[in-house]
Amino acid sequence: MYKTELVEEFTVENVTEKINHKIEEMEKQSFHLVTMSFLGMDKAVLVFKKGLKGSLL
């Protein structure tokens, strides 16, 4: 199962913190980051997959 999350309203100073926070939050639910794309200067789309990290299933 895949899940898409939108991270908004970040700045150059806090972009890493906000994205890492979302990744940690999703890993607690057994989702792992597959890909990430930036939309403009203040938004990012993160795609997660549920399952074992590095697994093909």
Side-chain angles (χ1 to χ4, degrees):
M1 171 171 48
Y2 289 89
K3 187 169 185 178
T4 303
E5 292 286 323
L6 180 65
V7 178
E8 296 182 282
E9 299 179 9
F10 54 74
T11 63
V12 173
E13 292 82 20
N14 70 2
V15 64
T16 305
E17 180 182 320
K18 283 198 167 198
I19 291 173
N20 283 340
H21 176 73
K22 180 56 75 175
I23 292 170
E24 290 172 5
E25 180 182 311
M26 295 300 292
E27 283 181 342
K28 289 178 184 175
Q29 301 173 35
S30 298
F31 283 92
H32 298 283
L33 184 66
V34 176
T35 188
M36 176 177 62
S37 298
F38 287 94
L39 302 172
M41 296 295 292
D42 65 343
K43 294 179 187 151
V45 176
L46 286 69
V47 178
F48 295 89
K49 182 178 180 183
K50 190 162 192 159
L52 297 173
K53 194 173 191 176
S55 173
L56 296 176
L57 301 176

